[in-house]
Amino acid sequence: MLDHDLVATAAVRAKYPDGAELVNGGFTEAPIERLLAAGPWRTFRWYLGQKHYSGSYWSATERAHVIYESRLELARLLYADFDPGVSRIIAQPFLVTVQVDGAVRRHIPDFLLLADAGPVVVDVKPADRLSRPEVAFTFGWCRTVVEARGWRYQVWSEPPAAEVDNIRFLAGYRRDWLFNAGLLEDLCRADLDGVTLESAFGAVANWDPGLVRAAVFHLLWSGRLVTELDRPLSGDHVVRCAR
């Protein structure tokens, strides 16, 4: 089947968080605004002996909980929440179906992200499973359908260990209402560009050192400060003001 024939058969269904039907039609015609209002297509239950690590994560981007079905999905969710260029995160956003060689194929992507550069459909899969024929086949036709609409499609596998550990640590400082606005303003007025983390912790003397330290980590989480995350965070990390 040619790509344009495959795309012509692509249909999508999405539902509101309460389960009511939200979208049911052609994939290329489905309004992005309605897909961003979707609840998870499927839900999960916790049970003894289950193979997957499922749960929900409070997202600073969504200001609400977002579900995940594995530790790897949770890691991708953390990255999306940490990315200042991502403004929406929808888990299991829709069911997409296509016809391939006379057979109906179905797939539920793991995430739909709204990024500065446009929508991104994300599938999360361990690297050692990507070569399986059934996985490669599904991701192949899904990529064709998504990219035909002008959206990006991403298959995401295990991230660098130090990087994800740093992001997971900084996520502990993601709740912005816990930080004093005056302290954050004082830190932003201080000349922190090019200083070490240790120096940043002592940049404003009129605040409790523990509060300053936490506020610096919050600025790193929110993207107002940046630093290299390819090794465990330490006092000698150099921070930069975001441009």
Coordinates of all heavy atoms in Angstrom, one line a residue, residues 13-108:
R13 N -10.1 8.3 17.2 CA -11.1 8.4 18.2 C -10.5 8.9 19.4 O -9.4 8.5 19.8 CB -11.8 7.1 18.4 CG -12.6 6.6 17.2 CD -13.3 5.3 17.5 NE -14.3 5.4 18.6 CZ -14.8 4.4 19.2 NH1 -14.5 3.1 18.9 NH2 -15.7 4.6 20.2
A14 N -11.1 9.8 20.1 CA -10.7 10.3 21.4 C -11.9 10.6 22.3 O -13.0 10.7 21.7 CB -9.9 11.6 21.2
K15 N -11.7 10.6 23.6 CA -12.8 10.8 24.5 C -12.5 11.8 25.6 O -11.3 12.0 25.9 CB -13.3 9.5 25.1 CG -12.2 8.7 25.8 CD -12.6 7.3 26.2 CE -11.6 6.5 26.9 NZ -12.0 5.1 27.2
Y16 N -13.5 12.4 26.1 CA -13.4 13.3 27.2 C -12.9 12.5 28.4 O -13.0 11.3 28.5 CB -14.7 14.0 27.6 CG -15.1 15.1 26.6 CD1 -16.1 14.8 25.7 CD2 -14.5 16.3 26.6 CE1 -16.6 15.8 24.8 CE2 -14.9 17.3 25.7 CZ -15.9 17.0 24.8 OH -16.3 18.0 23.9
P17 N -12.3 13.2 29.5 CA -12.0 12.5 30.7 C -13.1 11.7 31.3 O -12.8 10.7 32.0 CB -11.5 13.6 31.6 CG -11.0 14.7 30.7 CD -11.9 14.6 29.5
D18 N -14.3 12.1 31.1 CA -15.5 11.3 31.7 C -15.9 10.2 30.8 O -16.8 9.5 31.2 CB -16.6 12.3 32.0 CG -17.3 12.8 30.7 OD1 -16.8 12.5 29.6 OD2 -18.2 13.7 30.8
G19 N -15.2 9.9 29.7 CA -15.5 8.8 28.8 C -16.4 9.1 27.7 O -16.5 8.3 26.8
A20 N -17.0 10.3 27.6 CA -17.9 10.6 26.5 C -17.1 10.9 25.2 O -15.9 11.3 25.3 CB -18.7 11.9 26.8
E21 N -17.7 10.6 24.1 CA -17.0 10.7 22.8 C -16.6 12.1 22.5 O -17.4 13.0 22.6 CB -17.8 10.1 21.7 CG -17.0 10.0 20.4 CD -17.7 9.2 19.3 OE1 -18.6 9.8 18.6 OE2 -17.5 8.0 19.2
L22 N -15.4 12.3 22.1 CA -14.9 13.7 21.8 C -14.6 13.8 20.3 O -14.9 14.9 19.7 CB -13.6 13.9 22.7 CG -12.8 15.2 22.4 CD1 -13.6 16.5 22.7 CD2 -11.5 15.2 23.2
V23 N -13.9 12.9 19.8 CA -13.5 12.9 18.3 C -13.8 11.5 17.8 O -13.4 10.5 18.4 CB -12.0 13.3 18.2 CG1 -11.6 13.1 16.7 CG2 -11.8 14.7 18.7
N24 N -14.3 11.5 16.6 CA -14.5 10.2 15.8 C -14.5 10.6 14.3 O -15.6 11.0 13.8 CB -15.8 9.5 16.3 CG -15.9 8.1 15.7 OD1 -15.1 7.7 14.8 ND2 -16.9 7.3 16.1
G25 N -13.4 10.4 13.7 CA -13.3 10.8 12.3 C -12.0 10.6 11.7 O -11.1 9.9 12.2
G26 N -11.7 11.3 10.6 CA -10.4 11.2 9.9 C -9.3 11.8 10.7 O -9.5 12.9 11.4
F27 N -8.1 11.2 10.7 CA -7.0 11.7 11.5 C -6.6 13.1 11.1 O -6.3 13.9 11.9 CB -5.9 10.7 11.5 CG -4.7 11.1 12.3 CD1 -4.6 10.9 13.7 CD2 -3.6 11.8 11.7 CE1 -3.6 11.4 14.4 CE2 -2.5 12.2 12.4 CZ -2.5 12.0 13.8
T28 N -6.5 13.3 9.8 CA -6.0 14.5 9.3 C -6.9 15.7 9.5 O -6.5 16.9 9.5 CB -5.6 14.5 7.8 OG1 -6.8 14.1 7.1 CG2 -4.5 13.5 7.6
E29 N -8.2 15.4 9.8 CA -9.2 16.5 10.0 C -9.5 16.8 11.5 O -10.1 17.7 11.8 CB -10.5 16.1 9.3 CG -10.5 16.1 7.8 CD -9.9 14.8 7.2 OE1 -10.2 13.8 7.9 OE2 -9.3 14.8 6.2
A30 N -9.0 15.9 12.4 CA -9.4 16.1 13.8 C -8.7 17.3 14.3 O -7.5 17.5 14.2 CB -8.9 14.9 14.6
P31 N -9.5 18.3 14.9 CA -9.0 19.5 15.4 C -8.0 19.3 16.6 O -8.3 18.5 17.5 CB -10.2 20.3 15.9 CG -11.4 19.7 15.2 CD -11.0 18.2 15.0
I32 N -6.8 19.9 16.5 CA -5.9 19.7 17.6 C -6.4 20.1 18.9 O -6.2 19.6 20.0 CB -4.5 20.4 17.3 CG1 -3.5 20.2 18.4 CG2 -4.8 21.9 17.0 CD1 -3.1 18.8 18.6
E33 N -7.3 21.2 18.9 CA -7.8 21.7 20.2 C -8.7 20.6 20.8 O -8.7 20.5 22.1 CB -8.7 22.9 19.9 CG -7.9 24.1 19.4 CD -7.6 24.1 17.9 OE1 -8.2 23.2 17.2 OE2 -6.8 24.9 17.4
R34 N -9.4 19.8 20.1 CA -10.2 18.8 20.7 C -9.3 17.6 21.2 O -9.6 17.0 22.2 CB -11.3 18.3 19.6 CG -12.3 19.4 19.3 CD -13.3 18.8 18.3 NE -14.3 17.9 19.0 CZ -15.3 18.3 19.7 NH1 -15.5 19.6 19.9 NH2 -16.1 17.4 20.2
L35 N -8.3 17.3 20.4 CA -7.4 16.2 20.9 C -6.7 16.6 22.2 O -6.4 15.7 23.0 CB -6.4 15.9 19.8 CG -7.0 15.3 18.5 CD1 -5.9 15.0 17.5 CD2 -7.7 14.0 18.8
L36 N -6.4 17.9 22.3 CA -5.7 18.3 23.5 C -6.7 18.3 24.7 O -6.2 18.5 25.9 CB -5.2 19.7 23.3 CG -4.0 19.8 22.4 CD1 -3.6 21.3 22.1 CD2 -2.7 19.1 23.0
A37 N -8.0 18.2 24.5 CA -9.0 18.1 25.6 C -9.3 16.7 26.0 O -10.1 16.4 26.8 CB -10.3 18.8 25.2
A38 N -8.6 15.7 25.4 CA -8.9 14.3 25.6 C -8.4 13.8 26.9 O -7.4 14.3 27.5 CB -8.3 13.5 24.5
G39 N -9.1 12.8 27.4 CA -8.7 12.1 28.6 C -8.0 10.8 28.1 O -8.0 10.5 26.9
P40 N -7.3 10.1 28.9 CA -6.6 8.8 28.5 C -7.6 7.9 27.8 O -8.7 7.6 28.3 CB -6.1 8.3 29.8 CG -6.0 9.4 30.7 CD -7.1 10.3 30.4
W41 N -7.2 7.3 26.7 CA -8.1 6.4 26.0 C -8.3 5.1 26.8 O -9.4 4.6 26.8 CB -7.4 6.0 24.7 CG -8.3 5.0 23.9 CD1 -8.2 3.7 23.8 CD2 -9.5 5.4 23.2 NE1 -9.2 3.2 23.0 CE2 -10.0 4.2 22.6 CE3 -10.2 6.6 22.9 CZ2 -11.2 4.2 21.9 CZ3 -11.3 6.6 22.2 CH2 -11.8 5.4 21.7
R42 N -7.3 4.6 27.5 CA -7.5 3.5 28.4 C -7.1 3.8 29.8 O -6.2 4.7 30.0 CB -6.8 2.2 27.9 CG -5.3 2.4 27.8 CD -4.6 1.1 27.5 NE -3.2 1.3 27.3 CZ -2.5 1.2 26.2 NH1 -3.2 1.0 25.1 NH2 -1.2 1.4 26.2
T43 N -7.6 3.2 30.8 CA -7.2 3.4 32.2 C -6.6 2.1 32.6 O -6.6 1.0 31.9 CB -8.4 3.7 33.1 OG1 -9.4 2.7 32.9 CG2 -8.9 5.1 32.7
F44 N -6.0 2.1 33.8 CA -5.3 0.9 34.3 C -5.7 0.7 35.8 O -6.1 1.6 36.4 CB -3.8 1.0 34.1 CG -3.2 2.2 34.6 CD1 -3.0 2.4 36.0 CD2 -2.9 3.3 33.8 CE1 -2.4 3.5 36.5 CE2 -2.3 4.4 34.3 CZ -2.1 4.6 35.7
R45 N -5.4 -0.5 36.2 CA -5.6 -0.9 37.6 C -4.3 -1.4 38.2 O -3.5 -1.9 37.5 CB -6.7 -1.9 37.8 CG -8.1 -1.5 37.3 CD -9.1 -2.6 37.5 NE -8.8 -3.7 36.5 CZ -9.4 -4.9 36.5 NH1 -10.4 -5.1 37.4 NH2 -9.1 -5.8 35.7
W46 N -4.1 -1.2 39.5 CA -3.0 -1.8 40.2 C -3.4 -3.1 40.7 O -4.5 -3.3 41.3 CB -2.6 -0.9 41.3 CG -2.0 0.5 40.9 CD1 -0.7 0.7 40.5 CD2 -2.7 1.7 40.7 NE1 -0.5 2.0 40.1 CE2 -1.8 2.7 40.3 CE3 -4.0 2.1 40.9 CZ2 -2.1 4.0 40.0 CZ3 -4.4 3.4 40.7 CH2 -3.4 4.3 40.2
Y47 N -2.5 -4.1 40.5 CA -2.8 -5.4 41.1 C -1.5 -6.1 41.4 O -0.4 -5.8 40.8 CB -3.6 -6.3 40.1 CG -3.0 -6.4 38.7 CD1 -2.1 -7.5 38.4 CD2 -3.2 -5.5 37.7 CE1 -1.5 -7.6 37.2 CE2 -2.6 -5.6 36.5 CZ -1.8 -6.7 36.2 OH -1.2 -6.8 35.0
L48 N -1.6 -7.1 42.3 CA -0.4 -7.8 42.8 C 0.2 -8.6 41.6 O -0.4 -9.3 40.9 CB -0.8 -8.8 43.9 CG 0.4 -9.6 44.5 CD1 1.3 -8.6 45.2 CD2 -0.2 -10.6 45.5
G49 N 1.5 -8.4 41.4 CA 2.3 -9.1 40.4 C 2.2 -8.5 39.0 O 2.7 -9.1 38.1
Q50 N 1.7 -7.3 38.9 CA 1.6 -6.7 37.6 C 3.0 -6.5 37.0 O 4.0 -6.2 37.8 CB 0.8 -5.4 37.6 CG 1.5 -4.3 38.3 CD 0.6 -3.0 38.3 OE1 -0.7 -3.1 38.3 NE2 1.2 -1.9 38.2
K51 N 3.2 -6.5 35.7 CA 4.5 -6.4 35.1 C 4.9 -5.0 34.9 O 6.1 -4.7 34.8 CB 4.5 -7.1 33.7 CG 4.3 -8.6 33.8 CD 4.3 -9.3 32.5 CE 4.1 -10.8 32.6 NZ 4.1 -11.4 31.2
H52 N 4.0 -4.1 34.8 CA 4.3 -2.7 34.5 C 4.2 -1.8 35.8 O 3.4 -2.1 36.7 CB 3.4 -2.1 33.5 CG 3.5 -2.8 32.2 ND1 4.6 -2.8 31.4 CD2 2.6 -3.7 31.5 CE1 4.5 -3.5 30.3 NE2 3.3 -4.1 30.4
Y53 N 5.0 -0.8 35.9 CA 5.0 0.2 37.0 C 4.1 1.3 36.5 O 4.5 2.2 35.8 CB 6.4 0.6 37.3 CG 6.5 1.6 38.4 CD1 6.7 1.1 39.7 CD2 6.5 2.9 38.2 CE1 6.9 2.0 40.8 CE2 6.6 3.8 39.2 CZ 6.8 3.4 40.5 OH 7.0 4.3 41.6
S54 N 2.8 1.3 36.9 CA 1.9 2.3 36.5 C 1.7 3.3 37.7 O 1.9 3.0 38.8 CB 0.6 1.7 36.1 OG 0.7 0.7 35.2
G55 N 1.2 4.5 37.3 CA 0.9 5.5 38.3 C 0.5 6.8 37.7 O 0.2 6.9 36.5
S56 N 0.5 7.9 38.5 CA 0.2 9.2 38.0 C 1.2 10.2 38.6 O 1.7 10.0 39.7 CB -1.2 9.6 38.4 OG -1.4 9.6 39.8
Y57 N 1.5 11.2 37.8 CA 2.5 12.2 38.2 C 1.9 13.6 38.1 O 1.2 13.9 37.1 CB 3.7 12.1 37.2 CG 4.6 13.3 37.1 CD1 5.7 13.4 38.0 CD2 4.5 14.2 36.1 CE1 6.5 14.5 37.9 CE2 5.3 15.3 36.0 CZ 6.4 15.4 36.9 OH 7.2 16.5 36.9
W58 N 2.1 14.4 39.1 CA 1.5 15.8 39.1 C 2.5 16.6 38.2 O 3.6 16.9 38.5 CB 1.4 16.4 40.5 CG 0.7 17.7 40.4 CD1 -0.7 17.9 40.5 CD2 1.3 19.0 40.2 NE1 -1.0 19.2 40.3 CE2 0.2 19.9 40.2 CE3 2.6 19.5 40.1 CZ2 0.4 21.3 40.0 CZ3 2.8 20.8 39.9 CH2 1.7 21.7 39.9
S59 N 1.9 17.1 37.1 CA 2.7 17.8 36.1 C 2.5 19.3 36.3 O 1.4 19.8 36.4 CB 2.2 17.5 34.7 OG 2.6 18.4 33.7
A60 N 3.7 20.0 36.4 CA 3.6 21.5 36.5 C 3.1 22.1 35.3 O 2.5 23.2 35.3 CB 5.0 22.0 36.9
T61 N 3.3 21.4 34.1 CA 2.9 22.0 32.8 C 1.3 21.9 32.8 O 0.7 22.9 32.4 CB 3.5 21.2 31.7 OG1 4.9 21.2 31.8 CG2 3.0 21.7 30.3
E62 N 0.8 20.8 33.2 CA -0.7 20.6 33.1 C -1.4 21.1 34.3 O -2.6 21.3 34.3 CB -1.0 19.1 32.9 CG -0.7 18.5 31.5 CD -1.7 19.1 30.5 OE1 -2.9 19.1 30.8 OE2 -1.2 19.6 29.5
R63 N -0.7 21.3 35.4 CA -1.3 21.7 36.7 C -2.3 20.6 37.1 O -3.4 20.9 37.7 CB -2.0 23.0 36.6 CG -1.2 24.1 35.9 CD 0.1 24.5 36.6 NE -0.1 25.2 37.9 CZ 0.9 25.7 38.6 NH1 2.1 25.5 38.2 NH2 0.6 26.3 39.7
A64 N -2.0 19.4 36.8 CA -2.9 18.2 37.1 C -2.1 17.0 37.0 O -0.9 17.0 36.5 CB -4.0 18.2 36.1
H65 N -2.7 15.9 37.4 CA -2.0 14.6 37.3 C -2.1 14.0 35.8 O -3.1 14.2 35.2 CB -2.6 13.6 38.2 CG -2.2 13.8 39.7 ND1 -2.9 14.6 40.5 CD2 -1.1 13.3 40.4 CE1 -2.3 14.6 41.7 NE2 -1.2 13.8 41.6
V66 N -1.0 13.4 35.4 CA -0.9 12.7 34.1 C -0.5 11.3 34.4 O 0.4 11.0 35.2 CB 0.2 13.4 33.2 CG1 0.3 12.7 31.9 CG2 -0.2 14.9 33.0
I67 N -1.1 10.3 33.7 CA -0.8 8.9 34.0 C 0.3 8.4 33.2 O 0.7 9.0 32.1 CB -2.1 8.1 33.8 CG1 -2.4 8.0 32.3 CG2 -3.3 8.5 34.6 CD1 -3.5 6.9 31.9
Y68 N 0.9 7.3 33.6 CA 2.0 6.6 32.9 C 1.8 5.2 33.2 O 1.3 4.8 34.2 CB 3.4 7.2 33.3 CG 3.7 7.1 34.7 CD1 4.2 5.9 35.3 CD2 3.4 8.1 35.6 CE1 4.5 5.8 36.6 CE2 3.6 8.0 37.0 CZ 4.2 6.9 37.5 OH 4.4 6.8 38.8
E69 N 2.4 4.3 32.3 CA 2.3 2.9 32.5 C 3.6 2.1 32.7 O 3.6 0.9 32.8 CB 1.5 2.3 31.3 CG 0.1 2.6 31.3 CD -0.7 1.9 30.2 OE1 -0.3 1.8 29.0 OE2 -1.8 1.3 30.6
S70 N 4.7 2.9 32.8 CA 6.0 2.2 33.0 C 6.9 3.3 33.6 O 6.7 4.5 33.4 CB 6.5 1.6 31.8 OG 6.9 2.6 30.8
R71 N 8.0 2.8 34.1 CA 9.1 3.8 34.6 C 9.6 4.6 33.4 O 10.0 5.7 33.6 CB 10.2 3.0 35.3 CG 9.7 2.5 36.7 CD 10.9 1.9 37.4 NE 10.5 1.3 38.7 CZ 10.4 2.0 39.8 NH1 10.7 3.3 39.9 NH2 10.0 1.4 40.9
L72 N 9.7 3.9 32.3 CA 10.3 4.6 31.1 C 9.3 5.7 30.6 O 9.7 6.8 30.2 CB 10.5 3.6 30.0 CG 11.3 4.1 28.8 CD1 12.7 4.7 29.2 CD2 11.5 3.0 27.7
E73 N 8.0 5.4 30.7 CA 7.0 6.5 30.4 C 7.1 7.6 31.4 O 7.0 8.8 31.0 CB 5.6 5.9 30.3 CG 5.3 5.1 29.1 CD 3.8 4.7 29.0 OE1 3.0 5.4 29.6 OE2 3.5 3.8 28.3
L74 N 7.3 7.3 32.6 CA 7.4 8.3 33.6 C 8.6 9.2 33.3 O 8.6 10.4 33.5 CB 7.6 7.7 35.0 CG 7.9 8.7 36.2 CD1 6.8 9.8 36.3 CD2 8.0 7.9 37.5
A75 N 9.7 8.6 32.9 CA 10.9 9.4 32.5 C 10.6 10.3 31.4 O 11.0 11.5 31.4 CB 12.1 8.4 32.2
R76 N 9.9 9.8 30.4 CA 9.5 10.7 29.2 C 8.6 11.8 29.7 O 8.7 13.0 29.3 CB 8.9 9.9 28.1 CG 8.6 10.8 26.9 CD 9.8 11.3 26.3 NE 9.6 12.3 25.2 CZ 9.6 13.6 25.3 NH1 9.6 14.1 26.5 NH2 9.4 14.4 24.3
L77 N 7.7 11.5 30.6 CA 6.8 12.5 31.2 C 7.6 13.6 31.9 O 7.3 14.8 31.8 CB 5.9 11.8 32.1 CG 4.8 12.6 32.8 CD1 4.0 13.5 31.8 CD2 3.8 11.7 33.5
L78 N 8.6 13.2 32.7 CA 9.5 14.2 33.4 C 10.2 15.1 32.4 O 10.3 16.3 32.6 CB 10.5 13.4 34.2 CG 10.1 12.8 35.6 CD1 11.1 11.8 36.1 CD2 9.8 13.9 36.6
Y79 N 10.7 14.5 31.3 CA 11.4 15.4 30.3 C 10.4 16.4 29.7 O 10.8 17.5 29.5 CB 12.0 14.5 29.2 CG 13.4 14.0 29.5 CD1 13.6 13.0 30.4 CD2 14.5 14.5 28.8 CE1 14.9 12.5 30.7 CE2 15.8 14.0 29.0 CZ 16.0 13.0 30.0 OH 17.2 12.6 30.2
A80 N 9.2 15.9 29.4 CA 8.2 16.9 28.8 C 7.9 18.0 29.8 O 7.8 19.1 29.5 CB 7.0 16.1 28.4
D81 N 7.7 17.6 31.1 CA 7.4 18.6 32.1 C 8.5 19.6 32.3 O 8.3 20.7 32.7 CB 7.0 17.9 33.4 CG 6.1 18.6 34.3 OD1 5.3 19.4 33.8 OD2 6.1 18.5 35.5
F82 N 9.7 19.1 32.2 CA 10.9 19.9 32.4 C 11.2 20.9 31.2 O 11.8 21.9 31.3 CB 12.1 19.0 32.6 CG 13.4 19.7 32.8 CD1 13.7 20.5 33.9 CD2 14.5 19.5 31.9 CE1 14.9 21.2 34.1 CE2 15.7 20.1 32.1 CZ 15.9 21.0 33.2
D83 N 10.6 20.6 30.0 CA 10.9 21.3 28.8 C 10.1 22.6 28.7 O 8.8 22.5 28.6 CB 10.6 20.4 27.6 CG 11.0 21.1 26.3 OD1 11.3 22.3 26.2 OD2 11.0 20.3 25.2
P84 N 10.7 23.8 28.8 CA 9.9 25.0 28.8 C 9.2 25.2 27.4 O 8.3 26.1 27.3 CB 10.9 26.1 29.0 CG 12.2 25.5 28.7 CD 12.1 24.1 28.9
G85 N 9.6 24.5 26.4 CA 8.9 24.6 25.1 C 7.7 23.8 24.9 O 7.0 23.8 23.9
V86 N 7.4 23.0 26.0 CA 6.2 22.1 25.9 C 5.1 22.8 26.8 O 5.3 23.0 28.0 CB 6.5 20.7 26.4 CG1 5.2 19.9 26.6 CG2 7.4 20.0 25.5
S87 N 3.9 23.0 26.2 CA 2.8 23.7 26.9 C 1.7 22.8 27.3 O 0.8 23.1 28.1 CB 2.3 24.9 26.1 OG 1.8 24.5 24.9
R88 N 1.6 21.6 26.6 CA 0.5 20.6 27.0 C 1.1 19.2 26.9 O 2.0 18.9 26.1 CB -0.6 20.7 26.0 CG -1.4 22.0 26.0 CD -2.1 22.2 27.4 NE -2.8 21.1 27.9 CZ -4.1 20.8 27.6 NH1 -4.7 21.5 26.7 NH2 -4.7 19.7 28.1
I89 N 0.6 18.3 27.8 CA 1.0 16.9 27.9 C -0.2 16.1 28.0 O -0.9 16.2 29.1 CB 2.0 16.7 29.0 CG1 3.2 17.6 29.0 CG2 2.4 15.2 29.0 CD1 4.0 17.5 30.3
I90 N -0.6 15.3 27.0 CA -1.8 14.4 27.1 C -1.3 13.0 27.0 O -0.6 12.6 26.0 CB -2.8 14.7 25.9 CG1 -3.0 16.3 25.8 CG2 -4.1 14.0 26.1 CD1 -3.6 16.9 27.0
A91 N -1.7 12.2 28.0 CA -1.3 10.8 28.0 C -2.3 9.9 27.3 O -3.6 10.2 27.4 CB -1.1 10.3 29.4
Q92 N -1.9 8.9 26.5 CA -2.8 8.0 25.8 C -3.9 8.8 25.1 O -5.1 8.6 25.4 CB -3.3 7.0 26.7 CG -2.3 6.1 27.3 CD -2.8 5.1 28.3 OE1 -4.0 4.8 28.3 NE2 -1.9 4.5 29.1
P93 N -3.6 9.8 24.2 CA -4.5 10.8 23.8 C -5.6 10.3 22.9 O -6.7 10.9 22.9 CB -3.6 11.8 23.1 CG -2.5 11.0 22.6 CD -2.2 10.0 23.6
F94 N -5.3 9.2 22.1 CA -6.4 8.8 21.1 C -6.0 7.4 20.6 O -4.9 6.9 20.8 CB -6.4 9.8 20.0 CG -5.1 10.2 19.3 CD1 -4.4 9.3 18.6 CD2 -4.6 11.4 19.5 CE1 -3.2 9.6 18.0 CE2 -3.4 11.8 19.0 CZ -2.7 10.9 18.2
L95 N -7.0 6.8 20.0 CA -6.9 5.6 19.3 C -6.9 5.9 17.8 O -7.8 6.5 17.3 CB -8.0 4.6 19.6 CG -8.2 3.4 18.7 CD1 -7.0 2.4 19.0 CD2 -9.5 2.7 18.9
V96 N -5.8 5.5 17.1 CA -5.7 5.7 15.7 C -5.8 4.4 15.0 O -5.2 3.4 15.4 CB -4.4 6.5 15.3 CG1 -3.2 5.7 15.7 CG2 -4.4 6.8 13.8
T97 N -6.5 4.3 13.9 CA -6.7 3.1 13.1 C -6.4 3.3 11.6 O -6.6 4.4 11.1 CB -8.1 2.5 13.2 OG1 -9.0 3.4 12.7 CG2 -8.5 2.2 14.7
V98 N -5.8 2.3 11.0 CA -5.5 2.4 9.6 C -5.8 1.0 9.0 O -6.0 0.0 9.7 CB -4.1 2.8 9.2 CG1 -3.7 4.2 9.7 CG2 -3.1 1.7 9.8
Q99 N -5.9 1.0 7.6 CA -6.1 -0.3 6.9 C -4.8 -0.5 6.2 O -4.4 0.3 5.4 CB -7.3 -0.2 6.0 CG -8.6 -0.2 6.7 CD -9.8 -0.3 5.7 OE1 -9.6 -0.8 4.6 NE2 -10.9 0.3 6.1
V100 N -4.2 -1.7 6.4 CA -3.0 -2.1 5.8 C -3.2 -3.5 5.1 O -3.5 -4.4 5.9 CB -1.8 -2.1 6.7 CG1 -0.5 -2.5 6.0 CG2 -1.6 -0.8 7.5
D101 N -3.1 -3.5 3.8 CA -3.3 -4.8 3.1 C -4.6 -5.5 3.5 O -4.6 -6.7 3.7 CB -2.1 -5.7 3.3 CG -0.8 -5.1 2.8 OD1 -0.9 -4.3 1.9 OD2 0.3 -5.4 3.4
G102 N -5.6 -4.7 3.6 CA -7.0 -5.2 3.9 C -7.3 -5.5 5.4 O -8.4 -5.9 5.7
A103 N -6.3 -5.3 6.3 CA -6.4 -5.5 7.7 C -6.5 -4.2 8.5 O -5.7 -3.3 8.1 CB -5.3 -6.4 8.2
V104 N -7.3 -4.2 9.5 CA -7.4 -3.0 10.3 C -6.3 -3.0 11.4 O -6.2 -4.0 12.1 CB -8.8 -2.8 11.0 CG1 -8.8 -1.7 11.9 CG2 -9.9 -2.7 9.9
R105 N -5.5 -2.0 11.5 CA -4.5 -1.9 12.5 C -4.8 -0.8 13.5 O -5.3 0.3 13.1 CB -3.1 -1.6 11.9 CG -2.8 -2.6 10.7 CD -2.5 -4.0 11.2 NE -2.1 -4.9 10.1 CZ -1.6 -6.1 10.2 NH1 -1.5 -6.6 11.4 NH2 -1.3 -6.8 9.2
R106 N -4.5 -1.0 14.8 CA -4.9 0.0 15.8 C -3.7 0.3 16.6 O -2.8 -0.6 16.9 CB -6.0 -0.6 16.7 CG -7.3 -0.9 16.0 CD -8.3 -1.5 16.9 NE -9.6 -1.7 16.3 CZ -9.9 -2.8 15.6 NH1 -9.0 -3.7 15.4 NH2 -11.1 -2.9 15.0
H107 N -3.6 1.5 17.1 CA -2.5 1.9 18.0 C -2.9 3.1 18.9 O -3.6 4.0 18.4 CB -1.3 2.3 17.2 CG -0.1 2.7 18.0 ND1 0.4 1.8 19.0 CD2 0.6 3.8 18.1 CE1 1.5 2.4 19.6 NE2 1.6 3.6 19.0
I108 N -2.5 3.1 20.1 CA -2.7 4.2 21.1 C -1.3 4.7 21.4 O -0.5 4.1 22.1 CB -3.4 3.7 22.4 CG1 -4.7 3.1 22.0 CG2 -3.6 4.9 23.3 CD1 -5.4 2.4 23.2

